[in-house]
Amino acid sequence: DLLRDIAPPEAVRPLCAFVDHHDLRRIQAAALLLGCIADDDGIPALARALHHDDDHVRSYALMGLAGARVEGRGSHAFWTGVYPHLIPLIDRDDGSINDLAPKLVASIEPAQGLRLLLDQYCTKKNRRLSYTLAAARTTSGEVPVAIMDRLLADLAPDCASYPWTYAMAELLRLMASKGHPRAEQLAKEYFHHSDERIREGAADALVVLRGMADPALVAFHVVERGGYGALTLAQRVVYCVRCLVDEVNNGGLAQYLGNSSGDHAMDAIQSLQDIGAPILAGHLKSALVGAFGPRGPQCDRERRLDQIAALDKAQDEAIEDFDERLDKGPEPIETLLMRFALEHQDEFKPRTR
């Protein structure tokens, strides 16, 4: 971690030797660090890492390179030298982090990279098509309407099956960001699709088309600037549901309650009702009341932690049961949340200075 932070060029030569080591963990670490440092002398070793048989080695190299782009490291010669070794990873159908390869290609050579992605990889022969479309969306270049129309015709018959659900969702986002004339019509149509991933893509497209910012980010920024009390009612609903879902998916309701996001657990019950998820709202209320009594958990985190420490087995089980309720519940929470945000779109506009 220290070497990643300071990225010393002096470390490149010894790290290059580790790319040919017999221990995969050392090879992975070396690939990551060489990518982070982004020094010209590391290009040959990075090339070997990007072509390595082990998908984790390739992934670590890609992660390092992505970090270097964010930090602004690497000369023009470095990125020109790395570029051709990224191309075979764009559609490599294995465990490599393939979303990074097309994004790096589009970032390093924006015009040339976009043409490459559109001409060679925007096809159903590429089972990683969703990553290619996501990378194309990050560029400032134009995507011809004819290419988007062809992809729509190709994907529509199979869009309910993997991996084309992901590709269709990304295509809807791409159409919105690149000004397709039917983008809003298609987004509205696919917002009612049976697959939640496609509904999410359609919702994201509508957010773009209506000039909104990411609703959750808007809410989080408001809290960061002015605290929970500064949220409007609609922003509070998005904030409460987003915190609940993300925390529970990451570590369960116990994690949610143990963190500061749990300060507003009782508000989350009403927020779920507000987006149209009464079943999950009922399960959350049952879990909180079953564990903490009719008043629910304390809003103060330290006091709540004391409550959690004193729970008995039955109360613990009430909390644990909610995790499965969220995971297997019948209500499409992400779709409902985005629909709610779209209905209150004026409260989720980008910040103006």
Side-chain angles (χ1 to χ4, degrees), residues 200-213:
E200 288 175 21
D204 290 341
L206 290 170
V207 165
V208 171
L209 291 164
R210 295 180 184 181
M212 297 167 61

Side-chain angles (χ1 to χ4, degrees), residues 68-79:
R69 291 298 290 180
V70 171
E71 297 296 329
R73 300 190 187 112
S75 66
H76 177 73
F78 173 82
W79 292 111

Side-chain angles (χ1 to χ4, degrees), residues 22 235 291 326:
H22 64 274
Q235 291 169 348
L326 175 61

Side-chain angles (χ1 to χ4, degrees), residues 95-318:
S96 300
I97 304 177
N98 286 296
D99 62 330
L100 292 181
K103 285 180 180 177
L104 284 165
V105 164
S107 171
I108 295 167
E109 296 285 354
Q112 177 184 335
L114 179 59
R115 285 198 303 272
L116 175 73
L117 295 177
L118 295 178
D119 293 346
Q120 298 186 32
Y121 296 98
C122 279
T123 166
K124 283 183 71 176
K125 293 180 181 178
N126 174 13
R127 289 182 62 81
R128 302 289 185 170
L129 176 60
S130 62
Y131 295 142
T132 300
L133 296 175
R137 183 162 51 91
T138 65
T139 70
S140 59
E142 178 182 343
V143 176
V145 170
I147 289 179
M148 293 186 277
D149 284 342
R150 173 178 57 78
L151 284 169
L152 180 65
D154 290 345
L155 290 172
D158 302 315
C159 69
S161 60
Y162 176 85
W164 311 124
T165 50
Y166 292 91
M168 179 60 85
E170 284 299 341
L171 179 60
L172 293 170
R173 296 182 182 105
L174 181 70
M175 287 177 156
S177 65
K178 297 299 182 182
H180 190 285
R182 295 174 57 216
E184 184 160 6
Q185 172 195 336
L186 290 165
K188 289 178 178 178
E189 175 185 336
Y190 280 98
F191 188 67
H192 302 286
H193 196 273
S194 59
D195 186 88
E196 186 165 12
R197 294 174 191 83
I198 292 177
R199 293 197 300 269
E200 288 175 21
D204 290 341
L206 290 170
V207 165
V208 171
L209 291 164
R210 295 180 184 181
M212 297 167 61
D214 181 297
L217 290 181
V218 171
F220 286 128
H221 287 155
V222 170
V223 171
E224 184 179 347
R225 295 194 310 272
Y228 184 73
L231 292 165
T232 66
L233 179 58
Q235 291 169 348
R236 184 180 301 177
V237 168
V238 170
Y239 180 83
C240 286
V241 175
R242 184 77 276 150
C243 287
L244 174 71
V245 171
D246 288 353
E247 290 273 14
V248 173
N249 283 337
N250 182 260
L253 186 60
Q255 174 179 296
Y256 168 75
L257 292 168
N259 289 336
S260 59
S261 52
D263 293 354
H264 313 292
M266 298 304 284
D267 285 352
I269 298 173
Q270 184 59 50
S271 295
L272 288 169
Q273 292 276 7
D274 290 341
I275 68 168
I279 296 174
L280 190 63
H283 290 319
L284 179 60
K285 183 176 181 180
S286 296
L288 297 178
V289 170
F292 301 100
R295 292 188 176 183
Q298 289 278 351
C299 294
D300 180 80
R301 182 168 179 256
E302 294 303 319
R303 293 179 179 179
R304 189 169 63 254
L305 290 173
D306 289 339
Q307 286 182 305
I308 293 171
L311 295 179
D312 60 27
K313 182 177 180 181
Q315 292 168 321
D316 279 334
E317 288 176 351

Side-chain angles (χ1 to χ4, degrees), residues 26 33 43 50 53 60 98 104 113 132 148 172 301 309 327 341:
R26 296 189 183 187
L33 290 169
I43 294 174
L50 290 167
D53 290 338
Y60 274 94
N98 286 296
L104 284 165
T132 300
M148 293 186 277
L172 293 170
R301 182 168 179 256
D327 184 49

